[in-house]
Amino acid sequence: MSTGATPQSPRPQSQTGKHRLLTFDILRYDPRDAASVPRMRAYRIEEADSMTLFIALNEIREQQDPTLQFDFVCRAGICGSCAMMVNGRPRLACRTLTRDLPAETTLAPLPFFELIGDLSVNTGKWMRGMSERLQTWLHVRESEPDLRRIEARMDPDLAEQIYELDRCVECGCCVAACGTARMREEFTGAVGFGKIARFRLDPRDTRTDEDYYELIGDDTGVFGCMSLLACHDVCPKSLPLQTQIAFLRRKMAGMGASRDVPVPER
Amino acid sequence: MSCETVLAQTGLAGRAGKSRWPARLDLLQSGTGLFLALFMWGHMFFVASILLGEPAMWAITKFFEGYFLFGRSYPWLVSCVVACVALVFAVHALLAMRKFPATYRQLRTIRAHAKAMRHADTTLWIWQVYTGFPLFFLASAHLYQMLVWPQNIGPYASSDRVWSDALWPFYLAMLLAVELHGGIGLYRLALKWGWPNAPRRTLARLKWGLTAFFLVLGLATLGAYMKIGYEHRAHHGERYEPDGVKEERKARMEEEAR
């Protein structure tokens, strides 16, 4: 028995007494199976030192239930595949240590995105659509770029700022945490604003605020953001979403002073 | 029919270039909210003058009626201010309503989301909606009352309304709703526009500090009106006048009679 345990302690102990017994209540559902009904299923495993949620899920799949579906690729918080709702909040499974979780943990798939099965969702499909809609690539107004020309130098501080926003792994945590996106599915979401902010900073991108207004200048864009800022609080890469969204809002609101684009009569 | 109308009807309005109105409306929503929150705080200080005594509240009332400027009271001046505030209120309510959950599905989703997330700012927004909704009715009724009967503002008139006319539950509900809604609204404005650029925790503490201060001030003020109203219940309808003014009025009446 651990010396730290008291008779009042609710912590369930493993047989060896060294580690806690963890219970994972996992939402199980296969949308492709017509007979499948969403239900919670509990799995119990013994905690290990430095165990991550990703390791725990693998152990469950290997030892208890090979049908459990969840995503992972890099195991290092880089690919953004293993995002899921952990006790109601979106987190990356590979970056979540079980020692930071209570003995009983509820796991569910990220809402908002297309459900593949159990904890697995198709974030890529939505991210691609968002990327195409917001044109999140470098726009250069040159018909024929001169590939032999030496690239213009960039101020290191500016490069650092761009890199900071480029660290987004498109895990979908910000969108799943966003109250606005949950109510209004057409909402752009913080991931999209982060990308627009990134290209707006980039001096190589020749787009103007007028161009960006066409992408995010309405209630499905930056003016729909209600500043609940759960996106900022759950971002596993700690991106400065709060300041970037406020910055974009100020810039896009400034466009309100300009005249409406006249509608061609003929 | 103009091309603009045809495009709007067919859902192609944005294709020719996005309207600038969403930007203007967003600014207008924030601007009207800021005005109303600051007005609410100023209003609270004016109303709370009763805590300094009847003469102080009487002086504030008469100041707004132009008594010290024109030598006599013009309550319609108060009505003009109320009309302006009512207009700003209506615009703000109309614009803020766009953000409310519009369907049962949206309401159920956001409630479950806030409950599961246990995220302070998301929960605060739910409270902003919960307190904003009753304000449609409470603030509208109050504004109408002040617009139509501006002469019924004063140490005794207001106290009679609170106690003898049994409106204290109405004012209590409005106080709670308006202080929470306005406080959260100002906090959200700061986050929304990034000014003042202070850490969120600092802004949250400031917000709760101000909300607590104005709630305490409001409750003390309401208590004072209830006490005066209770003591004055036998003379319901009688208006307060400071001794000096009363004597001056009597002297003038006697002079006119002669």
Side-chain angles (χ1 to χ4, degrees):
Chain A
M1 179 69 76
S2 163
T3 52
T6 60
Q8 290 81 29
S9 171
R11 290 160 62 106
Q13 297 287 309
S14 66
Q15 283 180 340
T16 59
K18 270 183 75 178
H19 295 110
R20 292 185 301 170
L21 267 181
L22 301 176
T23 303
F24 291 100
D25 286 314
I26 302 179
L27 180 66
R28 303 295 312 272
Y29 178 54
D30 183 356
R32 289 167 301 176
D33 178 2
S36 176
V37 179
R39 68 189 191 285
M40 300 302 292
R41 184 163 168 200
Y43 300 90
R44 300 190 89 188
I45 60 164
E46 185 177 341
E47 192 174 27
D49 290 333
S50 305
M51 184 183 239
T52 63
L53 188 51
F54 159 75
I55 294 171
L57 285 169
N58 267 298
E59 197 173 308
I60 292 170
R61 184 153 69 180
E62 282 166 16
Q63 296 174 6
Q64 301 184 37
D65 191 343
T67 66
L68 180 65
Q69 296 182 70
F70 61 92
D71 297 317
F72 70 92
V73 178
C74 74
R75 295 169 276 177
I78 298 165
C79 71
S81 304
C82 62
M84 59 185 67
M85 300 303 270
V86 182
N87 289 328
R89 278 193 177 215
R91 300 178 73 158
L92 292 184
C94 67
R95 293 270 300 259
T96 304
L97 289 165
T98 55
R99 70 165 176 246
D100 297 332
L101 298 174
E104 192 161 334
T105 297
T106 304
L107 300 179
L110 284 189
F112 190 82
F113 299 100
E114 182 186 299
L115 180 65
I116 295 171
D118 301 334
L119 302 174
S120 173
V121 291
N122 191 351
T123 50
K125 185 178 170 185
W126 187 86
M127 292 293 172
R128 187 185 171 94
M130 176 274 297
S131 198
E132 286 172 354
R133 203 170 62 248
L134 298 184
Q135 301 168 28
T136 57
W137 54 85
L138 208 63
H139 285 57
V140 183
R141 286 204 180 104
E142 269 181 42
S143 54
E144 201 65 40
D146 183 1
L147 298 176
R148 287 167 302 177
R149 194 176 58 200
I150 296 173
E151 203 173 349
R153 289 170 69 88
M154 189 185 284
D155 178 58
D157 287 341
L158 178 60
E160 186 63 35
Q161 284 179 50
I162 294 171
Y163 173 71
E164 176 73 3
L165 296 176
D166 246 350
R167 291 190 304 110
C168 175
V169 293
E170 299 187 2
C171 60
C173 285
C174 58
V175 184
C178 174
T180 312
R182 296 301 320 281
M183 283 198 296
R184 300 177 176 94
E185 285 170 6
E186 68 281 11
F187 183 59
T188 298
V191 56
F193 297 137
K195 287 183 185 298
I196 292 288
R198 176 249 176 273
F199 287 103
R200 196 184 172 282
L201 273 179
D202 198 323
R204 295 167 297 179
D205 198 308
T206 50
R207 283 180 288 184
T208 62
D209 277 347
E210 203 153 315
D211 298 319
Y212 291 123
Y213 187 89
E214 292 299 320
L215 302 172
I216 56 166
D218 59 16
D219 285 346
T220 64
V222 75
F223 303 127
C225 174
M226 301 191 295
S227 307
L228 310 185
L229 295 178
C231 55
H232 180 96
D233 296 335
V234 303
C235 177
K237 306 304 280 185
S238 303
L239 296 182
L241 296 170
Q242 178 187 341
T243 49
Q244 292 308 313
I245 296 173
F247 176 76
L248 282 180
R249 183 173 226 125
R250 291 198 298 271
K251 292 297 168 193
M252 294 301 106
M255 295 297 297
S258 62
R259 292 182 62 182
D260 278 300
V261 180
V263 176
E265 287 292 329
R266 283 281 175 265
Chain B
M1 197 180 291
S2 72
C3 179
E4 204 170 344
T5 309
V6 176
L7 288 179
Q9 192 190 21
T10 46
L12 296 170
R15 299 297 170 92
K18 213 159 244 180
S19 166
R20 300 295 186 252
W21 274 105
R24 293 167 195 153
L25 295 181
D26 196 54
L27 276 168
L28 199 57
Q29 184 185 336
S30 292
T32 50
L34 178 67
F35 171 83
L36 289 170
L38 295 179
F39 172 80
M40 173 193 86
W41 283 352
H43 174 277
M44 179 54 81
F45 280 123
F46 298 140
V47 174
S49 59
I50 196 71
L51 295 171
L52 302 175
E54 284 98 336
M57 200 270 176
W58 178 87
I60 293 279
T61 310
K62 291 296 161 189
F63 170 77
F64 284 108
E65 290 177 357
Y67 178 80
F68 300 114
L69 198 63
F70 306 115
R72 58 174 297 191
S73 295
Y74 293 102
W76 58 264
L77 288 173
V78 175
S79 293
C80 292
V81 175
V82 174
C84 293
V85 174
L87 181 69
V88 177
F89 171 75
V91 171
H92 182 72
L94 194 69
L95 294 173
M97 217 164 57
R98 300 174 305 158
K99 311 287 181 186
F100 278 30
T103 62
Y104 174 67
R105 190 194 67 79
Q106 288 183 349
L107 179 68
R108 192 181 56 182
T109 303
I110 190 71
R111 282 183 64 174
H113 177 72
K115 191 179 170 188
M117 282 276 294
R118 282 175 291 164
H119 177 252
D121 281 7
T122 303
T123 308
L124 274 183
W125 182 78
I126 300 266
W127 276 100
Q128 214 180 351
V129 173
Y130 284 167
T131 51
F133 185 70
L135 282 175
F136 280 127
F137 311 101
L138 297 171
S140 298
H142 179 59
L143 285 166
Y144 181 77
Q145 205 169 26
M146 296 300 108
L147 184 77
V148 180
W149 300 289
Q151 69 281 12
N152 288 352
I153 304 172
Y156 288 164
S158 299
S159 300
D160 287 346
R161 190 167 57 245
V162 167
W163 185 260
S164 299
D165 297 344
L167 276 177
W168 65 264
F170 172 87
Y171 285 114
L172 180 64
M174 191 161 68
L175 172 73
L176 293 172
V178 86
E179 290 305 336
L180 284 170
H181 187 86
I184 300 169
L186 278 180
Y187 166 71
R188 201 171 301 290
L189 268 186
L191 300 179
K192 195 178 260 187
W193 296 99
W195 191 89
N197 189 20
R200 193 137 51 113
R201 190 171 291 183
T202 308
L203 290 172
R205 279 188 191 147
L206 186 65
K207 177 223 121 31
W208 282 118
L210 285 166
T211 301
F213 170 74
F214 280 103
L215 272 178
V216 170
L217 185 66
L219 288 171
T221 302
L222 184 59
Y225 282 113
M226 288 170 75
K227 181 176 176 289
I228 296 169
Y230 176 75
E231 290 165 355
H232 191 252
R233 66 192 185 284
H235 307 282
H236 180 268
E238 182 191 81
R239 296 291 182 261
Y240 174 83
E241 264 182 328
D243 292 342
V245 176
K246 207 181 283 178
E247 283 161 17
E248 197 180 301
R249 186 170 56 82
K250 270 184 190 168
R252 203 182 325 133
M253 282 171 71
E254 281 170 13
E255 199 174 306
E256 279 172 10
R258 260 188 258 126

